[in-house]
Amino acid sequence: MLIGLTGGIGSGKTAALCALKENGYKTVSCDDITRGLYKKRETLKKLRGEFPSAIKGKIFLKADKKEIAHIIFSDEKKYAFLNGFLTEETFRIAVKKARKMKGKVIVEVPLLFENNLAQNFDKIIVITRDKQERIKSVKARSSLSEEEIISRMNAQVDYDKLDLSAFTVIKNDGNIDDLAAAVLNAVKSF
């Protein structure tokens, strides 16, 4: 069974995935896969064509992710390119990894609805959270400004306006233990 785990930036996807992994479930993180892609020379060479100012070095290439973010959140075409390129490759790798595992496999997919990936999963868990709590959470773990966080939120689907009736929705409005208990109960019920 392939279970998608999604939600907006700062909703608690990573914490939920960690709780599942710590409790013996098989998990795949698209965020981890994307981080790995940013270290591959082939990826960086392709990105250099679109973002020359953000890829440093001649032999040993390195991405300036802050510069890439600055570019994509002010240029819709660049955003679409990066999202399409990285999402397609990330998801291909994630599904390949998940298919090698037996039983319930939970795949954390940050932009699941934005990229029309729902049909690839048997079940989907959506984690929602108050916008101000999401902002506070992202600020605590990153160097992003509130403006940068809101820019990222605006590039994602608005879960308050999405029909989520076909999915399992977990409202992350308590502490981390509450979130872990809720996500574990959801996966056990599938």
Side-chain angles (χ1 to χ4, degrees):
M1 176 182 285
L2 205 55
I3 302 167
L5 175 66
T6 196
I9 184 172
S11 62
K13 295 180 303 296
T14 302
L17 194 71
C18 286
L20 289 163
K21 188 173 185 173
E22 287 170 3
N23 281 275
Y25 285 99
K26 297 170 191 98
T27 64
V28 177
S29 168
C30 284
D31 280 343
D32 287 347
I33 292 168
T34 299
R35 277 190 281 282
L37 286 173
Y38 269 109
K39 294 176 183 174
K40 290 189 167 198
R41 184 168 174 75
E42 312 86 68
T43 301
L44 295 170
K45 282 172 66 177
K46 186 162 186 172
L47 292 177
R48 184 169 50 191
E50 286 291 320
F51 309 99
S53 66
I55 306 300
K56 310 296 182 195
K58 293 186 186 222
I59 296 172
F60 299 104
L61 302 177
K62 183 170 170 67
D64 180 342
K65 292 187 204 171
K66 195 160 181 95
E67 174 68 11
I68 291 173
H70 176 74
I71 294 168
I72 67 170
F73 289 109
S74 60
D75 183 330
E76 287 182 28
K77 287 182 182 177
K78 298 285 187 185
Y79 179 86
F81 167 81
L82 184 70
N83 185 44
F85 166 62
L86 282 180
T87 298
E88 185 178 307
E89 185 63 9
T90 296
F91 194 68
R92 184 190 66 73
I93 293 167
V95 168
K96 186 176 178 181
K97 278 179 94 169
R99 298 247 184 261
K100 290 180 180 178
M101 301 174 182
K102 302 284 185 217
K104 294 177 184 177
V105 181
I106 300 90
V107 182
E108 168 260 343
V109 186
L111 301 173
L112 187 140
F113 294 114
E114 293 84 346
N115 291 297
N116 299 312
L117 298 172
Q119 72 279 2
N120 294 287
F121 296 95
D122 300 303
K123 300 284 184 180
I124 294 176
I125 298 171
V126 180
I127 300 180
T128 63
R129 191 177 193 187
D130 173 75
K131 184 176 182 177
Q132 290 307 312
E133 289 299 313
R134 291 170 58 201
I135 291 169
K136 193 165 46 171
S137 173
V138 175
K139 272 185 171 179
R141 72 168 196 241
S142 74
S143 62
L144 296 175
S145 69
E146 187 165 332
E147 182 180 277
E148 290 170 316
I149 296 165
I150 291 170
S151 178
R152 283 159 174 74
M153 287 178 161
N154 291 339
Q156 296 180 339
V157 70
D158 183 346
Y159 289 92
D160 292 332
K161 295 180 180 173
L162 196 63
D163 177 9
L164 299 173
S165 59
F167 312 110
T168 300
V169 179
I170 296 174
K171 177 85 172 141
N172 182 8
D173 59 0
N175 61 36
I176 196 153
D177 293 330
D178 295 335
L179 175 62
V183 78
L184 286 165
N185 285 335
V187 171
K188 284 178 192 170
S189 74
F190 297 150

